[in-house]
Amino acid sequence: MASGGGGGGEAVEEGTTTRVGDLPEACLADVIALTSPRDACRLAAVSPSFRAAAESDAVWDRFLPPDYRAIAPLPPPPATAAASGGKRMKKGVYLGLCDKPVPVDDGSMMVWLEKESGAKCFALPARKLSLPWEDGEFSWRWTPHPLSRFEEVAQLVDCTCLDIYGRLPAAALTPATPYAAYLVFGTAAAAEGHRGLSFPDQETTVSAAGRVVARHAVCLRPDDAEARKFRGVGLAGAGVPVRRPARRGDGWSEMELGRVAADEVAGAGGEDVVASFEVLGWYPKRGLVVECMEFRPVV
């Protein structure tokens, strides 16, 4: 438009404004890849250009763990992916790893991703845990279970000393991520019953590189009446706060054993993160059904 005022003024064209959505898809993808899977899904709703960038392999490759091909190799591209140049495959791989745990190490462990962050989750089956065997093969019964993700679970038949340990290399955990360990368990059917799991003298610990970073008093089967019957004191009389289990949607119960901070994981280097559950009292116990121990990111 022409400038006002004195003569000699030159015509100045009004510039056009470049919007963020006008940037090349590769530029948008580079920025979105610096966010999180949750943010990428939200940004896909902003505009068609944002959606194209947010669903591209350039973004979802950053959200997948570096070793994801060893967990879930890329499937053959579907016709829709071929038509778009094969650039929309890795979001499907990511979501597949979130929706269904994948057996690894010949089925000795399961791995999946936490959907909002992409951090790896692990489930160590009972076979991979350290269980007490003071009574040999008569301490535990290995049996299939209709609710289990694994071929068999461990059912406690009878013991007096009960301590369960699970360990995972710190290097396997997603960097810069705090984790929590969980014991996933149930109890025997009513016909067999359980005993010795309701007293407030149970303890959990989590250690990293040999140093205890979390310790808690817990009770797998809180039952004040049983605790008073056998020990003369209910859970409230334990003297310390006692953690109780949470019921899961898959039919199992879980007890949080403790948490390890991101810097504690990093400090463990090439050593293990170890989680344990122990009953401190020496008295008969039975009826505990152990499915696995899980290590999951704290969200």
Side-chain angles (χ1 to χ4, degrees):
M1 58 184 294
S3 61
E10 297 180 357
V12 179
E13 292 187 2
E14 184 177 355
T16 58
T17 302
T18 300
R19 297 170 300 177
V20 174
D22 296 328
L23 293 173
E25 180 181 313
C27 293
L28 290 175
D30 284 343
V31 174
I32 295 173
L34 298 175
T35 62
S36 68
R38 182 179 184 179
D39 290 334
C41 291
R42 288 176 171 176
L43 290 168
V46 172
S47 68
S49 58
F50 267 79
R51 177 168 184 162
E55 294 189 347
S56 68
D57 278 0
V59 169
W60 292 92
D61 187 58
R62 294 281 291 273
F63 297 151
L64 285 165
D67 60 347
Y68 79 92
R69 291 181 184 272
I71 303 171
L74 279 174
T80 53
S84 62
K87 298 191 295 181
R88 302 289 187 269
M89 295 171 56
K90 292 187 177 178
K91 181 180 179 180
V93 175
Y94 178 93
L95 294 177
L97 286 172
C98 294
D99 294 337
K100 185 178 180 180
V102 178
V104 297
D105 294 343
D106 296 325
S108 66
M109 181 169 60
M110 285 192 174
V111 180
W112 68 100
L113 302 183
E114 195 281 315
K115 184 170 286 187
E116 293 191 5
S117 67
K120 287 194 286 187
C121 307
F122 301 86
L124 308 180
R127 278 288 186 187
K128 203 165 183 178
L129 303 179
S130 174
L131 304 174
W133 288 91
E134 83 258 14
D135 295 322
E137 62 180 339
F138 301 107
S139 294
W140 297 89
R141 177 191 306 145
W142 295 97
T143 178
H145 195 287
L147 299 179
S148 180
R149 296 162 288 180
F150 301 97
E151 291 185 359
E152 54 189 2
V153 300
Q155 179 175 331
L156 180 62
V157 177
D158 185 63
C159 76
T160 53
C161 172
L162 179 57
D163 51 357
I164 301 171
Y165 291 84
R167 62 181 63 242
L168 194 67
L173 303 176
T174 299
T177 304
Y179 273 82
Y182 301 85
L183 180 67
V184 181
F185 69 97
T187 51
E192 299 177 88
H194 62 85
R195 182 181 181 186
L197 305 178
S198 301
F199 308 149
D201 59 352
Q202 304 168 21
E203 183 178 86
T204 64
T205 61
V206 174
S207 61
R211 184 173 68 89
V212 174
V213 297
R215 188 188 304 273
H216 301 287
V218 303
C219 188
L220 294 188
R221 293 287 296 183
D223 187 327
D224 277 341
E226 184 177 355
R228 287 193 178 93
K229 178 180 177 181
F230 290 97
R231 302 297 298 278
V233 61
L235 295 179
V240 295
V242 177
R243 289 188 169 190
R244 296 170 180 254
R247 190 70 173 173
R248 293 161 51 113
D250 58 5
W252 294 98
S253 295
E254 69 177 23
M255 175 66 73
E256 182 181 320
L257 306 179
R259 301 184 178 190
V260 55
D263 60 332
E264 293 164 339
V265 173
E271 299 191 52
D272 292 340
V273 174
V274 181
S276 69
F277 164 81
E278 180 179 4
V279 180
L280 304 178
W282 284 64
Y283 46 80
K285 309 168 189 70
R286 68 169 182 264
L288 176 65
V289 179
V290 177
E291 198 224 5
C292 68
M293 187 176 290
E294 292 184 353
F295 291 82
R296 306 197 306 260
V298 178
V299 295

